[in-house]
Amino acid sequence: MDRRQQKTRSAIFKAFNKLLEEKHFNNITVQEILDEANVGRSTFYSHFETKDELLKEMCTDIFDHIFSHELHSETSHDFSLSDHGLQEKITHLLYHLKDNKGNVIGILSGESGELFMRYFKEYLITMFEQYPKSVRTDVPRDFALNHLVGSLAEAVKWWIGMKMELPPEELADNYLKLIGYNR
């Protein structure tokens, strides 16, 4: 992707983020995104087929960083020197959700919430698969993964509903205690 395309894509993301802070995903029109980003309709559709695809790409941007092997210090947190254990991975994920609180709340409040949770759970499956000790072997693997992913997703929804007041480290620690994960 060339510099001009990156700049356009960034403008679309920024516009979408701003609109998500103001209104629910379902109430945002592509035209509002175009107006806010100051781009044309054909330009938008050359990057994204639908508003749902834009949401998926935004989720990808949020989550891909967490699974990167080369982490760097960020404004609200620094996991660049962590041991990349499951607790650090979950805590890092929670920080990104908290940093994108306005967007996440806007996305979760409506039909888009189901779509966001589907993308989120796909990333959680990938995360848990990277930590074999997190998945019990005395039950079917798919069942264990479903339980881990579902319970963490519900814990995150609860946390968001509680205005994310609990520090990410504490939520991650409580979750790992509940599932009996030995570090």
Side-chain angles (χ1 to χ4, degrees):
M1 189 178 316
D2 68 28
R3 190 180 265 156
R4 184 178 50 83
Q5 289 171 319
Q6 288 174 342
K7 189 175 179 180
T8 300
R9 190 176 177 91
S10 178
I12 293 170
F13 276 135
K14 187 176 178 181
F16 188 49
N17 287 334
K18 182 177 184 287
L19 290 166
L20 281 171
E21 289 178 8
E22 298 170 0
K23 56 198 314 189
H24 297 294
F25 174 85
N26 294 339
N27 297 332
I28 298 172
T29 65
V30 170
Q31 187 61 52
E32 289 173 316
I33 298 168
L34 301 176
D35 293 344
E36 187 66 37
N38 196 25
V39 298
R41 188 168 291 278
S42 62
T43 300
F44 176 87
Y45 287 114
S46 70
H47 288 271
F48 308 101
E49 288 183 28
T50 64
K51 186 175 69 166
D52 288 353
E53 186 180 318
L54 172 57
L55 173 64
K56 183 176 184 175
E57 288 298 316
M58 189 174 85
C59 293
T60 298
D61 280 6
I62 291 171
F63 303 134
D64 274 357
H65 161 77
I66 296 161
F67 295 101
S68 172
H69 293 291
E70 294 183 28
L71 299 176
H72 55 277
S73 178
E74 298 172 71
T75 307
S76 65
H77 59 277
D78 183 5
F79 288 91
S80 62
L81 302 175
S82 80
D83 67 359
H84 302 289
L86 183 59
Q87 182 156 3
E88 288 80 12
K89 196 67 82 173
I90 292 172
T91 305
H92 191 185
L93 174 68
L94 296 171
Y95 268 105
H96 275 271
L97 292 172
K98 191 169 186 169
D99 289 348
N100 290 280
K101 183 178 183 177
N103 299 339
V104 172
I105 290 170
I107 292 167
L108 286 175
S109 58
E111 292 172 18
S112 61
E114 213 173 290
L115 190 57
F116 174 82
M117 290 309 287
R118 189 174 80 220
Y119 300 143
F120 183 54
K121 287 178 179 180
E122 288 172 9
Y123 278 95
L124 293 180
I125 288 170
T126 301
M127 179 184 72
F128 283 114
E129 286 177 334
Q130 291 176 357
Y131 299 93
K133 288 182 182 177
S134 69
V135 182
R136 293 185 60 143
T137 57
D138 58 340
V139 295
R141 182 172 177 74
D142 288 348
F143 177 77
L145 279 171
N146 183 65
H147 173 71
L148 293 169
V149 167
S151 60
L152 183 54
E154 287 302 315
V156 167
K157 283 174 32 179
W158 170 84
W159 182 59
I160 291 167
M162 300 300 288
K163 299 182 176 37
M164 299 179 173
E165 291 176 357
L166 192 66
E169 293 85 359
E170 197 173 329
L171 180 61
D173 187 54
N174 288 337
Y175 172 76
L176 291 172
K177 283 177 188 173
L178 277 174
I179 65 167
Y181 183 73
N182 298 323
R183 293 165 197 71

